Amino acid sequence: MAVLTLRARGPAAAGVVWARYVFPARWPTWSPYIGAVRTDGDRIVPGLRGTVVSRLGISAAFLVESVDEEERRWSWRVRSGPLRMRLHHAVSDDGGGAVTTLRLEGPTPVVAAYSLPARWALRRLVRR
């Protein structure tokens, strides 16, 4: 198992970045590899289940484990076939912008492969 933390800083306000996270329908607008998100609700809450579909047609089921609106933190589990990961997200103010962090936990090859597209998505997440 591997653990890797990624970070991105940008000019978007922390509240804007948080809103991009909490509404799964918005994920494809900042994550270039997500083609669609299907959920059983409109907003992330503990227990929310859904499926993320990549632009290549690869599906991953997910379950939101925790959400802290005040701290702007949330965690979820993602599964695609036998591959499983846990992702922990956080957003904070950066005096005129936002910082977002993503902690990845999973099998080393999966974390390594996912880290490059995740960095790209995080940079887009904090843009204006």
Side-chain angles (χ1 to χ4, degrees):
M1 291 297 260
V3 176
L4 176 66
T5 301
L6 307 175
R7 178 182 307 262
R9 176 177 279 113
V16 170
V17 174
W18 181 246
R20 290 174 181 164
Y21 268 143
V22 300
F23 298 105
R26 295 184 184 175
W27 296 354
T29 67
W30 55 266
S31 182
Y33 50 86
I34 294 178
V37 181
R38 294 188 283 274
T39 65
D40 57 5
D42 295 331
R43 184 181 180 95
I44 61 168
V45 294
L48 177 76
R49 294 181 180 276
T51 304
V52 175
V53 183
S54 78
R55 295 196 190 278
L56 300 175
I58 300 167
S59 295
F62 69 84
L63 170 67
V64 175
E65 294 182 308
S66 66
V67 178
D68 185 331
E69 294 274 348
E70 189 173 312
E71 293 291 322
R72 294 187 183 125
R73 296 179 181 277
W74 70 287
S75 298
W76 57 325
R77 287 184 290 168
V78 180
R79 171 179 51 81
S80 183
L83 305 176
R84 288 168 169 50
M85 284 183 40
R86 290 184 78 196
L87 300 93
H88 307 275
H89 299 272
V91 177
S92 59
D93 281 314
D94 185 35
V99 173
T100 188
T101 58
L102 167 59
R103 190 175 84 227
L104 304 168
E105 300 173 358
T108 301
V110 176
V111 168
Y114 185 67
S115 67
L116 184 60
R119 286 178 204 276
W120 184 23
L122 291 177
R123 286 193 300 265
R124 290 172 51 102
L125 176 65
V126 296
R127 290 194 319 199
R128 284 204 198 278

